[in-house]
Amino acid sequence: MIQPVLAIETSCDDTSVAVVGEDGWVYSCVSVGQDQWHREFGGVVPEIAARNHLEKVLPLVESCLVQSGFSSQELAGVAVTARPGLLGSLMVGVVTAKALALAWGKPVTDVNHLVGHLYAPFLHDDEYCPEFESDDFLALTVSGGHTAIYQVESFEKRVLLGQTRDDAAGEAFDKFAKMVGLGYPGGPALDREARTGNPSAFVFPRPLLDQDDLEFSFSGLKSSAHRLLEVRSPESVQAERADLCASYQEAIVDCLVGKLQRAQKMTGCPRVVVTGGVSANSGLRARVLDWAQRDSIQVAIPPLRYCTDNAAMIGLVGARQITRGRIADQDLAPSPRSAPGDFVVRGVSA
Ligand code: KG4
Ligand code: ZN
């Protein structure tokens, strides 16, 4: 039997630990969010996030191992998110992973969080199984901090085809949700509200959609929403909230799906994944699945538990890295940015 790895994810405000095999099988995955700690500030407070990770991570390691049925000695090693993310949060995961690896006499491997998201659609469990293998595919990664399209040519070669010039799609969702009084975190609440609204009720811009490239921009959309809302009373915003949310969501989904379709035409790749926290959005999922069916494209979108930050996706990538001998040493340090070599930018090393 292939030995699984224990994986730790603490790059932002979710503390997550998983035991995962190289084939993507998830033996156990336990996560704790921190929304209640950050809500009153309307966003993630880095110091609070790091302190919470510190309290939660070791108890999660213990319960995750017990749930998986493996002992520490049966593991192939420890995988940890080392970049990109909040430095203090990453530090907790990296120090914990290195200490466990040292104590258990196992190797440790550092994983890029975004590479984790790219492979989340290839996790397996009792209720989810991807439709195709992870050899080569096109990926739209949409989260709170990133919006990008990648062409994954092999496990070692991930080419960045285009990304946002300013805000990420998740950020655009969260900020609009805050403007219309949906609280924090806004993305899921906006999604729920949009389900009963009319997506054509308001006209929002679709920045860069007609441009012949794979770039995104969401800051203009946010400003246009601000202008539309500032001339309305709180009562009328409240009354029209579902229509506002549906129209705003439609604009973001148009941009994301439009560029993904363009990338698919450019590369001719018939296998597409959509991943990252925003891939939980019901409007985006429905539109991508519709397109895939119409144009006979194979699509994998992970279930909600693997869309948002989780250690299982880090475990899958980490297990493959350990098999390929990509072991970190005890000098391993976290970084807020991706490392050279994590991605290639259209032929140029990132
Ligand atoms: O990948 P993720 O969990 O964390 C980051 O790495 O950023 O993504 C979090 C983002 C947040 O902006 C959140 O509002 C958004 O994903 N999100 C959603 C939905 N669920 C989560 N956005 C729109 N609709 C959703 N259903
Ligand atoms: Zn993420």
Side-chain angles (χ1 to χ4, degrees), residues 165 257 313:
R165 294 180 179 174
V257 177
M313 64 189 193

Side-chain angles (χ1 to χ4, degrees), residues 176-186 189-191 193-194 241 245:
F176 185 77
K178 200 169 170 180
M179 290 183 218
V180 297
L182 283 171
Y184 172 86
L190 191 154
D191 185 359
E193 190 78 16
R241 196 157 73 177
C245 289

Side-chain angles (χ1 to χ4, degrees), residues 83-102:
R83 60 188 177 280
L86 300 172
L87 205 52
S89 290
L90 289 166
M91 183 68 83
V92 176
V94 168
V95 168
T96 306
K98 288 199 294 188
L100 290 173
L102 201 61

